[in-house]
Amino acid sequence: MSPEQAIPLIRRQIERLAEVIKLPFNHAGVDAWESTTENILNAVYGLPDGELHRNTHELKIADSGEPMYINMSDAAIQRHFILRQLKRKALLEAYLEQLQDLAPPAAATASDQYRFHSEIERVGGLMYRDGHYKAAALEAYIRVIEEVKRRSGIADDGDSLMNRAFGCDKQTPVIQFNTLQTDAERDEQRGLMFLFKGIVGLRNSKAHSNTLFNDPHRAHEYLALASLLLRLLEIAKVNPVPSQESRLAE
């Protein structure tokens, strides 16, 4: 769920909390509010590595700040309940402010309209939406590399594959993005080659850093990059693979 979609839902839950606080601590309406709010936060933040996002977890375990003890009176429990909901209100307001910072008005529609390339959606879309960001990104990288091999007919891997498939210095690239008639066009070809090389580096790291993938928005951008590269491959010209003899002659 994008920040633009989440903001009105979280505002609604904050408004409803004013009524929830007035309920008895054991009222069914309290459980309903908690369940709905947790589902919204899961949709916003995902489930990194299958676990609650730290913001969702913080709201779920929010404490009143006062000790609880056995045989507390109903009045004491109700007081604890109210203080706990006030803590949750403060947390939701903080999350709302963070989401508003992530959703400037000029960018309000673009993310809602974006769709992953169909192959990236196939291999990683469900994992991404379930919060398995590292696995989704890794599958996306692997799919891009597989497509380079398939379109180029080159069995190499890693930098060797990308150099042979896209390199334009002293050779005609197997996968060609423009006419290569000007310095600018050759620079574009090299720049795209380095983007594909970057995908190899990310795959080889196996998405090792949790820091890069604990944010659904950043993970979305990694999958969007893989989508872009697949779309570029679809419109590129494919030349015959140079023979071993011609490459040695060069």
Side-chain angles (χ1 to χ4, degrees):
M1 184 185 297
S2 70
E4 297 82 22
Q5 294 169 318
I7 286 168
L9 296 179
I10 292 178
R11 281 192 182 130
R12 183 196 68 191
Q13 291 307 102
I14 292 173
E15 291 168 0
R16 288 180 176 175
L17 188 54
E19 297 302 316
V20 170
I21 288 175
K22 299 175 185 177
L23 297 174
F25 64 86
N26 56 357
H27 192 282
V30 177
D31 291 338
W33 180 89
E34 290 177 349
S35 177
T36 299
T37 306
E38 183 175 334
N39 287 338
I40 291 170
L41 294 182
N42 283 339
V44 175
Y45 299 116
L47 294 166
D49 299 321
E51 302 292 335
L52 291 178
H53 186 276
R54 62 179 180 274
N55 287 358
T56 313
H57 179 70
E58 187 177 25
L59 188 90
K60 188 178 180 70
I61 66 168
D63 189 82
S64 68
E66 293 188 351
M68 294 201 59
Y69 49 88
I70 298 173
N71 298 325
M72 286 179 69
S73 67
D74 284 352
I77 295 174
Q78 185 68 22
R79 171 178 167 77
H80 183 277
F81 164 76
I82 291 171
L83 291 174
R84 188 181 186 202
Q85 306 318 311
L86 291 173
K87 173 69 176 295
R88 284 174 162 172
K89 181 175 183 286
L91 288 171
L92 285 175
E93 288 172 342
Y95 302 161
L96 183 62
E97 184 176 353
Q98 293 166 4
L99 290 168
Q100 287 170 334
D101 290 341
L102 290 171
T109 60
S111 60
D112 293 340
Q113 296 173 353
Y114 185 82
R115 295 292 181 271
F116 295 133
H117 185 281
S118 60
E119 281 297 292
I120 299 304
E121 177 62 37
R122 182 181 67 82
V123 301
L126 182 59
M127 285 188 287
Y128 167 76
R129 286 187 290 278
D130 284 345
H132 302 296
Y133 303 136
K134 290 196 297 184
L138 179 57
E139 290 302 319
Y141 306 152
I142 291 172
R143 184 64 190 88
V144 171
I145 295 166
E146 287 176 346
E147 188 62 14
V148 173
K149 291 180 180 181
R150 188 189 74 80
R151 289 184 67 83
S152 68
I154 298 171
D156 291 6
D157 194 53
D159 277 1
S160 175
L161 168 65
M162 301 309 172
N163 287 334
R164 291 186 62 193
F166 303 111
C168 63
D169 295 323
K170 299 182 180 179
Q171 70 178 47
T172 298
V174 177
I175 299 177
Q176 183 174 332
F177 296 108
N178 56 54
T179 66
L180 300 174
Q181 295 301 302
T182 67
D183 287 343
E185 288 182 334
R186 287 186 286 274
D187 285 343
E188 179 187 43
Q189 178 78 24
R190 295 186 192 101
L192 291 172
M193 177 182 70
F194 285 117
L195 283 179
F196 281 93
K197 283 189 172 188
I199 287 290
V200 170
L202 290 168
R203 180 207 61 181
N204 290 348
S205 72
K206 293 183 172 56
H208 179 69
S209 173
N210 282 324
T211 303
L212 292 177
F213 293 96
N214 63 4
D215 182 334
H217 307 295
R218 183 176 293 127
H220 185 282
E221 289 170 343
Y222 277 92
L223 269 66
L225 171 60
S227 294
L228 169 64
L229 295 182
L230 283 185
R231 290 183 173 117
L232 288 169
L233 287 174
E234 288 177 345
I235 61 174
K237 176 183 177 182
V238 180
N239 299 310
V241 179
S243 66
Q244 181 69 19
E245 292 79 9
S246 65
R247 285 194 289 121
L248 288 174
E250 293 173 354

